[in-house]
Amino acid sequence: MSQPSFAPNGNDGSIVVKAEKVNKYFGSLHVLKDVSLTVRKNETVIVIGPSGSGKSTFLRCINHLEKINSGHIYVNGHLIGYLDRNGKLVEDSEKNIARQRAEIGMVFQRFNLFPHLTALENIIEAPMRVRKTPQDAATADGERLLARVGLADKRDKYPSQLSGGQQQRVAIARALAMKPSLMLFDEPTSALDPEMIGEVLDVMKELAHEVTMVVVSHEMGFARAAANRIVFMDSGTIIEDTTPDDLFANPREERTKQFLSKILH
């Protein structure tokens, strides 16, 4: 059965992510409540909000690491994780879901590198296994990506020989190696020591506007500098979706003002 798709913005193909009235429950806990969001090509959308607001859950739903209970999420025009049969969501095949995920890079709080592989081997594993990229081509691309994240001299180091910031930069390079159309970052600096946060954010700032990114982050300086739009979530809903200038200088909602007053000094 073919997958339904939408015609983004009059067929111009500019919409990468389209979430429509997404609901997610964990048992009786209603974690996402009619969440709708559109992300266009080469936009950097940063999602902020208090702990427990549903930010990370929503991000994980975009690549079907979490299953939604209702609504639709499309990436590049294709329904993610499901087939729509007469308005009813039916889980797609594992093969199709894996193929969709190959187009979506994800960087987690914890680096999730393979401990028995070197930095370079971590990066070339998926392109060779999933994309069937020849080893020579994968290695050349991996070395280029290591240089891009400032780690050309660490290609033969194992994760245990790298700092947290270096491991996270390898994780970013690994995600980029699959040439994804979308990058998702789930609080990528939250597990890092303070002095290592900047080196990861610097790499992400360079990526912003080159690749479509959705980032869950507590780093307000980074959000202000790198985002095209900032989405503020609270209690499972999107409260505001606006530009960094408007959010920080002139938040519309009282809840946004309360949140910002606590984290901006």
Side-chain angles (χ1 to χ4, degrees):
M1 182 175 180
S2 64
Q3 290 199 353
S5 61
F6 63 93
N9 198 30
N11 284 327
D12 71 357
S14 70
I15 295 179
V16 177
V17 180
K18 189 175 183 69
E20 300 174 329
K21 295 192 172 182
V22 172
N23 285 274
K24 169 69 181 175
Y25 291 85
F26 289 119
S28 61
L29 187 62
H30 197 176
V31 182
L32 297 176
K33 304 169 185 172
D34 283 338
V35 172
S36 295
L37 181 71
T38 298
V39 181
R40 295 184 179 278
K41 189 173 182 180
N42 290 342
E43 268 194 314
T44 296
V45 175
I46 297 184
V47 186
I48 66 171
S51 296
S53 59
K55 309 182 299 295
S56 292
T57 298
F58 178 56
L59 203 71
R60 292 169 67 84
C61 288
I62 292 175
N63 67 352
H64 202 61
L65 288 175
E66 294 286 356
K67 300 176 183 181
I68 64 177
N69 294 99
S70 65
H72 299 86
I73 299 177
Y74 302 90
V75 175
N76 297 319
H78 295 285
L79 193 59
I80 288 291
Y82 297 95
L83 301 170
D84 191 332
R85 291 194 174 136
N86 301 318
K88 181 176 170 58
L89 293 182
V90 178
E91 183 122 18
D92 205 346
S93 69
E94 280 299 321
K95 184 178 179 182
N96 279 343
I97 292 168
R99 192 170 68 238
Q100 290 175 326
R101 281 203 191 114
E103 304 299 323
I104 304 171
M106 180 126 187
V107 178
F108 298 89
Q109 296 178 33
R110 296 286 170 183
F111 326 120
N112 293 355
L113 298 177
F114 296 115
H116 62 290
L117 299 181
T118 65
L120 180 63
E121 288 167 344
N122 264 283
I123 292 167
I124 68 176
E125 172 82 2
M128 289 170 56
R129 186 182 296 263
V130 178
R131 298 255 194 244
K132 310 302 183 192
T133 306
Q135 184 169 351
D136 287 353
T139 298
D141 198 43
E143 290 174 338
R144 178 185 63 80
L145 288 167
L146 277 171
R148 179 166 191 186
V149 299
L151 294 173
D153 60 334
K154 305 295 184 186
R155 56 163 281 168
D156 297 321
K157 299 290 187 185
Y158 289 91
S160 62
Q161 299 172 298
L162 301 173
S163 70
Q166 290 169 339
Q167 289 184 62
Q168 192 62 295
R169 284 187 279 158
V170 172
I172 293 171
R174 178 178 63 178
L176 289 171
M178 290 293 284
K179 299 179 171 58
S181 58
L182 171 66
M183 286 283 286
L184 306 176
F185 294 84
D186 185 9
E187 299 192 24
T189 59
S190 67
L192 299 178
D193 293 333
E195 65 268 22
M196 296 175 185
I197 289 172
E199 64 192 48
V200 173
L201 293 181
D202 285 345
V203 169
M204 291 174 64
K205 278 180 199 164
E206 279 191 27
L207 288 178
H209 320 309
E210 291 180 32
V211 60
T212 309
M213 291 168 43
V214 182
V215 184
V216 171
S217 181
H218 293 295
E219 299 292 336
M220 294 301 125
F222 170 70
R224 196 190 292 263
N228 298 103
R229 284 163 43 219
I230 298 182
V231 170
F232 175 61
M233 287 186 70
D234 186 44
S235 301
T237 62
I238 290 178
I239 306 290
E240 295 207 42
D241 178 354
T242 187
T243 65
D245 286 348
D246 282 349
L247 187 94
F248 289 115
N250 190 30
R252 288 193 318 270
E253 303 297 326
E254 192 58 39
R255 181 67 188 93
T256 316
K257 294 173 186 173
Q258 291 171 2
F259 176 76
L260 291 175
S261 71
K262 289 177 182 172
I263 60 169
L264 298 177
H265 303 296

